[in-house]
Amino acid sequence: MSSDPSPVRLHVVTGKGGTGKTTVAAALALALAADGGHVLLVETEGRQGIAQLFDTPPLPYEERRVAVARGGGEVKALAIDVEEALLDYLDMFYNLRRAGRALRKMGAIDFATAIAPGLRDVLLTGKIKESVTRRHDGHRVYDAVVVDAPPTGRITRFLGVTAEMAQLARSGPIKTQSDGVMAVLRSSQTAVHLVTLLEDMPVQETADAIAELTEAKLPIGSVFVNMVTDPVLPLDGLDRAVEGTLSGADLAPGLAPAHLPGGDELAEALAVEAIEHAQRWASQDELREEVEALGRPTVELPLLAGPMDLGCLFELAGRLEEHLRAEAEGADRGVSIAARNERGAERPAGATGSTA
């Protein structure tokens, strides 16, 4: 594993529901595929969110190209089907694919995954490990694998269930497979990235997930702060609005040339809106400090207008390329994350820490 020029090859993306983790995972896959990379984007929850983002038909249980990245790279996507993954497992270790298909017709596979929910996660992580380590003619098939993983509340259990399986099976193919999966997940090849918003609950769940992942000895990557907005007020007026001292009388002279109906009532209503906006922005800024205090490289991604389409994904991917480049340069220089945080990473507009 250590012979790879870029140590991180498995990027696991998680986040609280509603934070846009699937979008971030897709953009990250495009960024990693830039300049000729071959990347696999894996969906684990069966929602077909990747197909919707790339505007393709629902993904089957096969690796299918969904995008060509800058520089001729490509992104393939795979929606893991648990039944098919179990058939692969039976075939790989026991040469029982035909028997497995018979079991599926009888409903036995559905029954097994229903009564043993952990089995589903074992099969998913096993397939992910196989994709990361797969070779053809002595070369790795994929330069990177990006996983749209379960939410933060379930991520540690999802990634750690195979270790529990290894403890139950003391020998044989199950033990070998489980140890192999955990060797990849706990190695420098893997980084678990967390997606959050500048809101109380997502930030708290991100902090809790980092603590759980650290305790489980799973490697943590970056924190992606998604859907960030810039203040619409000038900085000199922002402080007054935060303090609540902005009034309709302050706005009336600027409104007068526009000859808008409403007069003083409109000015007062706009002042109230401005105060609410400014105080919301100040609250977000406090949460930004909490995110920075987590001690992880931080990437801010903007809230884009309109529906999310392929053009938006490429825009986000471009910003993530900057972050990946900065991380690679830092690793080449042997600079620790802590040292870079002390110096303060480069901060283009709207970004904090390592930027996007």
Side-chain angles (χ1 to χ4, degrees):
M1 297 180 199
S2 59
S3 62
D4 286 343
S6 176
V8 178
R9 298 184 56 256
L10 173 58
H11 299 262
V12 180
V13 180
T14 183
K16 187 182 186 308
T19 57
K21 68 178 179 64
T22 300
T23 299
V24 172
L28 180 60
L30 286 170
L32 289 164
D35 297 323
H38 296 274
V39 178
L40 178 65
L41 177 58
V42 179
E43 182 173 281
T44 62
E45 296 184 277
R47 296 184 292 106
Q48 291 292 338
I50 292 172
Q52 294 174 34
L53 280 174
F54 288 97
D55 194 23
T56 67
L59 297 170
Y61 183 62
E62 64 181 43
E63 291 153 23
R64 177 172 293 181
R65 189 170 72 177
V66 292
V68 176
R70 180 180 59 77
E74 68 171 10
V75 175
K76 288 186 176 180
L78 170 68
I80 299 180
D81 178 89
V82 176
E83 288 190 3
E84 289 292 340
L86 181 53
L87 292 177
D88 281 350
Y89 183 87
L90 292 174
D91 184 42
M92 186 180 302
F93 293 105
Y94 298 102
N95 197 27
L96 289 175
R97 176 169 286 272
R98 184 175 297 178
R101 293 192 182 281
L103 289 172
R104 181 167 67 173
K105 289 180 180 178
M106 297 166 54
I109 292 179
D110 262 344
F111 179 72
T113 54
I115 65 170
L119 176 60
R120 180 181 185 278
D121 292 346
V122 168
L123 295 169
L124 291 172
T125 53
K127 182 61 179 177
I128 291 166
K129 178 258 184 183
E130 185 275 329
S131 301
V132 173
T133 58
R134 189 190 311 161
R135 290 179 176 271
H136 180 70
D137 291 337
H139 302 284
R140 295 198 184 276
V141 173
Y142 293 109
D143 299 304
V145 175
V146 179
V147 180
D148 177 19
T152 45
R154 208 167 70 81
I155 188 63
T156 305
R157 168 72 176 170
F158 171 74
L159 295 175
V161 69
T162 310
E164 297 176 12
M165 182 68 73
Q167 293 175 1
L168 295 175
R170 296 183 179 277
S171 62
I174 293 178
K175 171 69 172 176
T176 302
Q177 168 74 350
S178 300
D179 287 345
V181 170
M182 292 313 300
V184 170
L185 292 180
R186 285 180 171 156
S187 75
S188 59
Q189 286 191 104
T190 299
V192 183
H193 307 294
L194 299 105
V195 182
T196 187
L197 305 178
L198 290 177
E199 297 175 2
D200 289 322
M201 287 297 292
V203 170
Q204 184 58 55
E205 281 205 19
T206 299
D208 293 343
I210 288 176
E212 291 176 2
L213 290 164
T214 302
E215 184 177 356
K217 298 182 174 59
L218 291 163
I220 303 164
S222 300
V223 175
F224 299 118
V225 183
N226 199 20
M227 293 185 268
V228 174
T229 58
D230 292 326
V232 297
L233 296 175
L235 293 179
D236 57 347
L238 195 61
D239 290 338
R240 288 190 61 195
V242 169
E243 295 168 358
T245 59
L246 190 70
S247 68
D250 297 313
L251 302 181
L255 292 172
H259 302 291
L260 296 173
D264 292 342
E265 290 184 5
L266 174 62
E268 287 296 337
L270 288 174
V272 170
E273 288 288 338
I275 290 170
E276 290 179 355
H277 166 77
Q279 291 176 344
R280 186 164 57 249
W281 174 257
S283 176
Q284 288 183 349
D285 238 15
E286 291 177 6
L287 290 169
R288 181 177 281 111
E289 293 177 4
E290 291 185 26
V291 171
E292 290 181 340
L294 295 174
R296 309 308 308 168
T298 304
V299 189
E300 289 198 358
L301 297 172
L303 175 65
L304 300 178
M308 183 59 60
D309 57 18
L310 197 55
C312 294
L313 286 179
F314 273 103
E315 181 174 345
L316 296 177
R319 293 174 180 249
L320 287 172
E321 282 184 50
E322 297 174 16
H323 169 67
L324 293 171
R325 194 176 302 116
E327 287 296 290
E329 290 172 358
D332 289 342
R333 292 193 303 267
V335 180
S336 70
I337 290 173
R340 277 181 281 138
N341 283 345
E342 285 181 10
R343 287 201 312 269
E346 295 179 0
R347 300 178 66 173
T352 175
S354 297
T355 64

